[in-house]
Amino acid sequence: MLKATGIGIGTGATALATPTALAAPADAAGAPLVHPGLLHTRTDLDRMAAKVKAGARPYCAGFAKLIANRHAQSGWRANPQAVVYRGSGSPENYRILYNDIHAAYQNALRYHVSGEKAHADTAVTILNAWSGKLTRLEGSADRFLAAGLYGYQFANAAELVRDHGDFDLKRARELLLSVFHPLSDSFLSHHNNAVVTNYWPNWDLTALACVLATGIFCDERAVVERAVEYFKHGDGMGSVKHAIPVVHEDGLGEWVEAGRDQGHALLGVGLMGTVCEMAWNQGIDLYGYDDSRFLKGAQYVAKWSLGGDVPYTANTRRKGAIGGWSGSETASDAAGVDPGMTRPIWAMIAHHYTKRRGLPASYLTRAAAKASPEGGGGDYGPNSGGFDQLGFGTLAFTRERGRSQGRVEEPAGGPSPSPSPSDGSPDSRGAGGVRPQASASPALGGDLAATGTGDAAGWAAAAGIGALAGGLLLLRRRDRVSRREGVE
């Protein structure tokens, strides 16, 4: 038994979770944009710093992972290029760009946690170097991936140092609006002149992440609204109802790219989580949109990636160029998985649903615990796939549940917008009002990740790491040595 696209879980899933009381939603669309307000808010950054200073777990383990990464060293030297190429048939040099962006992000994050100004200065130097030189992204269709991935990542790194006295904010805005954003926006509109289903969800989601991040960083409200509308109603496979076309009665939502392979499905979930988190920090609840549809899809991928059995409805998609060649491809079953494969995507999503919203999400929590402490670019191999997410979720997104019973956290900009059934779903939520009774967790069984008072031990046991003060001091000494010697 299943429900297809556009039909909410409804009453069939009400037994899966105890409803959590939510405040009456209100429209936050007119609120000014928040800074910092992409993946991290001021509250988030202050929490990380306080927790690490206090020696709290698992924050210290996450911070130890950060400062051990070679990209997080203040001796990093940027290597900006005027033209970046990604794709066959071109002199590819995009690895230079993503390594430098991750170095900027990691140094900026390290500065906010440790207070060491040298890391902020390094991040600013890297970002200013690129905004002063990069003029174009070229290559095959992969240039759209470069625009999307490195555009949203550049914006996030820049957001962390936007108030630094030496940071060229104007030039960073110009780079995003003239180099990264145009390619991403074009992809969402025209899909490289291919039929709309030619590209799997992750292509749309890279572009969507860049458009949203650009809109927020550059204070362009219309660009933000464009991204939100596409997430909800876009024609491409990356919009939420196309990426998760089927929701089953057990609360799991099929992630369509599970029919392709594990790596790309993990990429897609990580990117959709990134979009949801950035929107949340601007008061827009995409996490909860359409009866928390993303929760159901993320739970599905988490269970499948952990080696669990999941259903898959055969999916045939058209391929080809408009007015040119055409064909079709059918995915008939979920692909095989390697339970050891992971990406640093789970902590952000799991902590949102279980701690901010108080919802059960057992597979997400298991996946997050297994991956803890999450690293970032450079910790998952040298190839581009290891740099698709900024990472460090154990440090950045671990949070505690509200202490008062029934308390939930609202988006940074205020409560979620009002419910609206205009998209055709019964009792669907407009920009994301959550209906907690439509859980994506199994109804029975004592899970490692069962939320509530019993979940702390499960998280801690699976994470299994605390950072000793001596270890942190040793890593800091290594950083001082690397700054003297110069790290490249």
Side-chain angles (χ1 to χ4, degrees), residues 186-206:
S186 172
F187 188 84
L188 294 181
S189 298
H190 306 294
H191 291 90
N192 197 27
N193 296 318
V195 296
V196 73
T197 55
N198 185 75
Y199 292 97
W200 287 99
N202 70 84
W203 288 78
D204 262 7
L205 288 165
T206 61

Side-chain angles (χ1 to χ4, degrees), residues 65 69 102 106 344 374-381 386-387 389-392:
K65 194 79 173 178
N69 193 303
H102 280 256
Q106 291 180 27
E374 289 179 354
D379 291 319
Y380 299 89
F387 291 80
Q389 282 83 30
L390 290 168
F392 300 104

